[in-house]
């Protein structure tokens, strides 16, 4: 498949990860002929090159959200606004439950994010435009029956339910692509909204420790990637340091 060329690190990582998952599933299924001890460990995964998060430029971000406001689909319109205003992963958004909002009185309204990619639960503060998007979707949602949660197998009332069915990621991706095309900025991946959210907070002066809590990162290395994008913050730190040196 590599046509005589070396197999890429990304494909090596995918193959070893698949094999590791296969052996873990054998243990989970209690297969009689499963290996007696783990054969593939996390340390066996090839180290992928460090990717810099691809945040939207301020102009592209502004034009995209103007186009999102004009989407005819209220579910996708509200979902994209919430993704941009909370930094949620797409899977975390779709797993939000009906009682996910918490009012802390003097501390405003916060969003309770369910266990996600890194098996962590967190709360995220909401600004008024994002809270308005929740209110708008609540006015369209209507009543629905509980679904069995795919992870916990308990009945759950999910937030994103349309005509008795849970909303899929494809609907959001299609509408995001439509808005990006109308804004003239090409393809936009939903995760870029998370990168844009995080970069804006760092450039606004949020500490990496606070950003780590808001994004739900466990390894600090994941959050440190955003320091490379914090141009204003880095510039201020540089100017301060160079002034003291001089």
């Amino acid at each position: 498949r590599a046509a005589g060329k070396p197999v890429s690190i990304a494909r090596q990582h995918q193959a070893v990860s698949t094999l590791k998952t296969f052996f873990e599933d054998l243990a989970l299924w209690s297969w009689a002929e499963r290996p007696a001890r783990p054969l593939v460990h996390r340390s066996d995964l090839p180290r992928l090159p460090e990717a810099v998060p691809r945040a939207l430029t301020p102009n592209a971000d502004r034009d995209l959200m103007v186009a999102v406001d004009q989407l005819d689909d209220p579910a996708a319109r509200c979902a994209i606004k919430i993704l941009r205003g909370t930094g949620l992963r797409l899977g975390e958004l779709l797993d939000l439950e009906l009682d996910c909002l918490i009012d802390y009185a003097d501390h405003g309204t916060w969003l309770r994010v369910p266990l996600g990619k890194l098996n962590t639960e967190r709360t995220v503060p909401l600004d008024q435009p994002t809270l308005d998007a929740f209110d708008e979707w609540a006015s369209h949602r209507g009543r629905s029956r509980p679904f069995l949660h795919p992870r916990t197998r308990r009945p759950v009332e999910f937030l994103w339910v349309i005509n008795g069915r849970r909303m899929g990621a494809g609907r959001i991706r299609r509408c995001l692509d439509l808005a990006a095309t109308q804004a003239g900025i090409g393809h936009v991946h939903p995760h870029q909204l998370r990168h844009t959210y995080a970069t804006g907070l760092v450039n606004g002066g949020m500490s990496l420790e606070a950003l780590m809590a808001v994004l739900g990162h466990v390894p600090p290395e994941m959050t440190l990637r955003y320091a490379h994008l914090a141009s204003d913050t880095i510039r201020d730190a540089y100017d301060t340091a160079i002034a003291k040196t001089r």
Side-chain angles (χ1 to χ4, degrees):
R1 294 179 64 181
K5 300 177 182 178
V7 179
S8 70
I9 293 296
R11 188 169 292 280
Q12 292 179 43
H13 186 280
Q14 180 185 27
V16 177
S17 178
T18 301
L19 188 62
K20 178 175 179 292
T21 302
F22 172 70
F23 284 124
E24 290 172 350
D25 285 345
L26 292 183
L28 182 64
W29 299 333
S30 299
W31 187 48
E33 299 180 28
R34 67 186 183 276
R37 60 183 180 83
L39 299 181
V40 183
H41 303 270
R42 181 177 293 275
S43 59
D44 295 321
L45 294 173
R47 187 177 179 86
L48 294 172
E50 190 68 27
V52 176
R54 295 185 303 151
L56 297 173
T57 66
N59 288 343
D61 181 34
R62 179 200 62 218
D63 294 344
L64 175 66
M65 298 316 295
V66 168
V68 167
D69 263 331
Q70 299 170 357
L71 290 173
D72 294 330
D73 186 336
R77 182 174 66 244
C78 296
I80 294 171
K81 288 181 180 181
I82 292 170
L83 284 175
R84 176 60 185 87
T86 59
L88 293 183
R89 302 176 182 93
L90 186 52
E92 291 173 337
L93 175 90
L94 296 175
D95 281 346
L96 288 178
E97 299 177 18
L98 202 55
D99 60 350
C100 61
L101 298 183
I102 309 172
D103 188 3
Y104 284 121
D106 295 340
H107 297 285
T109 303
W110 293 58
L111 172 67
R112 183 175 64 246
V113 185
L115 294 173
K117 176 183 175 183
L118 300 180
N119 203 35
T120 56
E121 190 174 56
R122 65 189 189 278
T123 54
V124 178
L126 300 179
D127 60 8
Q128 191 57 49
T130 307
L131 189 56
D132 290 342
F134 275 103
D135 290 339
E136 182 184 352
W137 174 237
S139 68
H140 286 90
R141 182 183 179 277
R143 298 174 61 87
S144 68
R145 61 181 176 85
F147 290 81
L148 285 181
H149 196 288
R151 182 175 49 80
T152 64
R153 306 308 297 172
R154 64 182 177 86
V156 169
E157 286 198 76
F158 288 105
L159 179 65
W160 301 99
V161 177
I162 303 172
N163 297 327
R165 300 180 64 180
R166 293 189 61 189
M167 183 170 71
R171 183 172 186 154
I172 297 175
R173 290 194 177 100
R174 286 192 300 271
C175 289
L176 181 58
D177 273 340
L178 176 61
T181 300
Q182 292 175 343
I185 58 176
H187 175 70
V188 174
H189 191 278
H191 214 68
Q192 283 182 267
L193 302 179
R194 177 174 169 87
H195 294 326
T196 306
Y197 170 81
T199 304
L201 291 179
V202 174
N203 282 335
M206 176 178 275
S207 69
L208 291 179
E209 292 82 1
L211 182 64
M212 184 176 174
V214 169
L215 295 179
H217 286 165
V218 176
E221 292 81 8
M222 297 180 71
T223 313
L224 286 173
R225 296 181 306 163
Y226 292 99
H228 300 297
L229 299 178
S231 55
D232 295 339
T233 305
I234 290 177
R235 185 72 202 192
D236 290 344
Y238 170 82
D239 290 340
T240 300
I242 204 68
K244 291 180 179 179
T245 302
R246 289 172 178 169

